[in-house]
Amino acid sequence: MISLDRLINVLGGYGVRLRRSPVERSTVLRSVVVPEIVGGAAVAGDVLLAVGAASPAEALQWALAARATVVLTRDDDHSDLQTDSARIAVMLIDPAVAWSELAAIVFGLVFEGRETESGRGPTDLFALADTLRDTTGGAVVIEDRHSQVLAYSRGQQHADPARAATILERRAPEALRTVFEKQGVFTHLAVSDAPIFVPGDPAQGLTGRMVVAARAGRELLGSVWIACPQPLRGEASDALADGAHVAALHLLRSRASADLERQVESESVLRLLDGPADAATMASRLGLPPQGLRVVALRAHEVGERHAAMLLAFDKATTGYGWSRPGRSGLADTTIYTALAAADVSTARQWVQDLTAALPPQVTVLAGISAPAAVADLTAARREAEECLAMHETTDAEGSPPAYDESWDSILLRRLRTAAHSGRGPKRGTIAALGVHDDVHGTRYVSTLRAWLQEQGDPVRTAERLGVHENTVRYRMRRMAEITDLRLADADKRFAMMVELALFD
């Protein structure tokens, strides 16, 4: 089940455009069909995939017969549908998009649209939790494999303190998880499909739980928890086991739909960062403002795991309703790119910090942040973020992610160093001569010249920077002039020496 508006927005990233929509975009779509006659009548459905239609006009006639709300068809650039009175939305498919690919997407969206991890969670799990409560008599919570609360039943008003804290925090408190771990609950869930009873712990406000794994094949997808002071027996225990199987099916569908939505978002974000002609329209579809955007380039690492940390970071970055997230993310090779509504750099750094906190402690996160940009400037912002990420990787990984508008000078010097080191560095000249003298005689002429240039020739400030007397500075400057041709009165020479000192130190 999905709204027409949602279908239009998602398929827009796949080369499908809306030709007309006399139907309210809030209309709910529950089924998908192809043109087919069964028992002498057209098969009815809300969404018609007009495979084989010679024109949009013919597809519209098929949609009328199928009592469809929306029809997807190829465009022939000739049909005039604006005068047709049929209350059917028409969506036109790009010739480069294969029907087989589009059908998979549409079926996934319509049939799984209400059950997504990237939204607030599978709504049918709440109904399942209520059914289990009615069958077993205990309040129910359904969690994912990371112990995040996905759904819970009615009747939690009399829950014990441990359950109340779990629902409020959307996850079992750390102290309670420690109790479960010591009692071997998580180890049992990892290897067994049998329900297990967890005795009460007054110190944690726990009255007792029955818990069972929700598993698909050998993969643990989540768990079902029922509050009860004693182990469940007979029909109640069987109902719990059956409920876990149903929950696993919901979680499988949820994950499939979430993966599809993440793929759509990722492809749209990466295309937006490439600077398409319709960038403003694409940003609007993604829910991004036209101004005040920053691009964050991010990498996550874990020792011994090449890809797991990146995939987990991308999962966390794209979890939650679109309107509840300040940014939209795409995964390209080993880098996550996020277009973030964050005119203030502190907002972007807080986003990186929150994402890092949601990951296991052994995962290291490195990031770079662009300067504020408009939608039309996101391609340049992407390059800024990449350069800031590279600087973060080669400098202080424990520090805050660098932002281009704060670190542009360091970025510029990195660019110049890269260009300089790819060619031939200066082996002769003023700086080289002073460096040789320092190596042979133990002097500090190069560092003195650098400080003198940085302090614009002021001997007092130069002495303070070096921690020596100003007369020592004057003496060293005289000696340098005897060793090599300084020409400090020449502005171009001073600038060239500053560049060389910055690049080849």
Side-chain angles (χ1 to χ4, degrees):
M1 181 175 68
I2 190 173
S3 69
L4 175 60
D5 181 71
R6 177 80 174 133
L7 183 71
I8 292 170
N9 289 337
V10 173
L11 294 186
Y14 283 88
V16 181
R17 62 187 177 87
L18 183 66
R19 174 69 174 274
R20 71 167 208 176
S21 182
V23 185
E24 292 291 335
R25 291 180 64 141
S26 60
T27 302
V28 175
L29 309 173
R30 295 181 173 84
S31 58
V32 183
V33 295
V34 295
E36 188 175 15
I37 303 297
V38 176
V43 177
D46 294 335
V47 181
L48 176 70
L49 303 179
V51 182
S55 67
E58 183 179 17
L60 193 58
Q61 293 305 310
W62 291 355
L64 284 169
R67 301 192 298 279
T69 301
V70 57
V71 59
L72 280 75
T73 182
R74 300 282 187 197
D75 189 7
D76 63 359
D77 294 325
H78 303 301
S79 299
D80 181 13
L81 303 178
Q82 300 303 321
T83 59
D84 198 297
S85 60
R87 290 187 55 78
I88 298 174
V90 178
M91 299 181 69
L92 301 179
I93 305 166
D94 189 285
V97 179
W99 272 115
S100 56
E101 296 177 1
L102 189 67
I105 296 168
V106 173
F107 273 97
L109 285 170
V110 173
F111 288 114
E112 317 296 346
R114 64 176 173 161
E115 304 178 5
T116 65
E117 286 178 353
S118 57
R120 68 181 179 92
T123 56
D124 273 3
L125 284 181
F126 285 89
L128 174 62
D130 287 337
T131 301
L132 280 176
R133 173 187 176 274
D134 295 339
T135 306
T136 62
V140 178
V141 162
I142 301 174
E143 300 179 355
D144 67 9
R145 61 187 180 275
H146 303 299
S147 299
Q148 298 283 346
V149 174
L150 296 176
Y152 49 88
S153 67
R154 297 187 301 269
Q156 303 285 352
Q157 62 269 29
H158 303 301
D160 57 40
R163 170 60 59 79
T166 298
I167 292 176
L168 288 174
E169 297 181 19
R170 306 288 294 178
R171 181 176 183 171
E174 195 61 38
L176 189 59
R177 286 177 52 79
T178 301
V179 171
F180 293 150
E181 194 165 342
K182 287 181 179 179
Q183 295 187 14
V185 175
F186 298 127
T187 301
H188 175 88
L189 292 175
V191 299
S192 176
D193 294 335
I196 182 176
F197 178 69
V198 183
D201 186 335
Q204 299 298 329
L206 179 69
T207 57
R209 299 283 189 274
M210 281 291 289
V211 56
V212 64
R215 195 186 317 276
R218 297 180 179 178
E219 184 179 2
L220 180 66
L221 300 176
S223 54
V224 181
W225 300 72
I226 296 183
C228 53
Q230 300 295 330
L232 298 178
R233 309 287 184 189
E235 292 184 0
S237 180
D238 293 341
L240 175 58
D242 292 341
H245 176 69
V246 176
L249 295 178
H250 283 298
L251 292 172
L252 271 177
R253 292 198 297 268
S254 169
R255 189 169 64 180
S257 292
D259 290 344
L260 174 61
E261 292 188 12
R262 289 188 177 105
Q263 179 183 348
V264 171
E265 178 176 322
S266 180
E267 291 176 356
S268 297
V269 168
L270 296 179
R271 186 176 165 217
L272 177 64
L273 297 182
D274 284 339
D278 60 343
T281 302
M282 184 170 293
S284 178
R285 287 176 183 165
L286 288 167
L288 295 172
Q291 303 284 339
L293 294 168
R294 289 181 187 263
V295 176
V296 178
L298 180 144
R299 291 187 182 130
H301 307 273
E302 182 178 356
V303 177
E305 294 286 349
R306 184 177 180 184
H307 301 296
M310 279 298 299
L311 293 175
L312 182 58
F314 182 61
D315 178 88
K316 296 297 183 183
T318 53
T319 296
Y321 268 135
W323 50 260
S324 71
R325 291 188 282 122
R328 302 291 181 268
S329 300
L331 178 59
D333 297 325
T334 60
T335 306
I336 296 171
Y337 295 95
T338 298
L340 201 66
D344 192 326
V345 69
S346 62
T347 303
R349 287 201 174 104
Q350 186 62 50
W351 181 86
V352 175
Q353 182 178 333
D354 291 344
L355 179 63
T356 304
L359 298 172
Q362 67 270 22
V363 174
T364 300
V365 174
L366 299 170
I369 303 169
S370 76
V375 167
D377 301 321
L378 287 180
T379 301
R382 175 180 183 168
R383 291 195 293 268
E384 293 173 357
E386 289 171 340
E387 289 185 299
C388 288
L389 171 60
M391 187 168 70
H392 199 200
E393 289 177 324
T394 56
T395 54
D396 182 13
E398 299 296 325
S400 297
Y404 188 83
D405 45 330
E406 296 177 345
S407 307
W408 65 269
D409 53 334
S410 299
I411 296 294
L412 176 60
L413 289 175
R414 281 178 57 85
R415 291 176 188 165
L416 293 174
R417 287 190 187 102
T418 300
H421 286 293
S422 65
R424 181 173 61 85
K427 302 298 183 183
R428 302 170 61 182
T430 299
I431 305 300
L434 294 177
V436 170
H437 191 279
D438 284 351
D439 292 339
V440 173
H441 300 283
T443 53
R444 298 182 57 193
Y445 290 156
V446 171
S447 60
T448 300
L449 178 60
R450 177 186 293 106
W452 188 89
L453 290 169
Q454 290 172 336
E455 297 299 343
Q456 300 180 10
D458 187 313
V460 176
R461 293 203 304 268
T462 302
E464 291 176 353
R465 178 182 285 267
L466 295 171
V468 299
H469 193 277
E470 62 182 275
N471 287 338
T472 302
V473 173
R474 293 189 176 94
Y475 169 76
R476 290 179 182 177
M477 298 304 296
R478 287 196 301 271
R479 286 288 297 133
M480 280 187 269
E482 296 171 1
I483 295 169
T484 186
D485 186 11
L486 279 181
R487 299 192 190 183
L488 293 176
D490 187 324
D492 289 341
K493 292 289 190 299
R494 291 198 306 272
F495 179 71
M497 284 188 284
M498 292 180 69
V499 172
E500 185 176 345
L501 286 168
L503 300 186
F504 296 99
D505 181 20

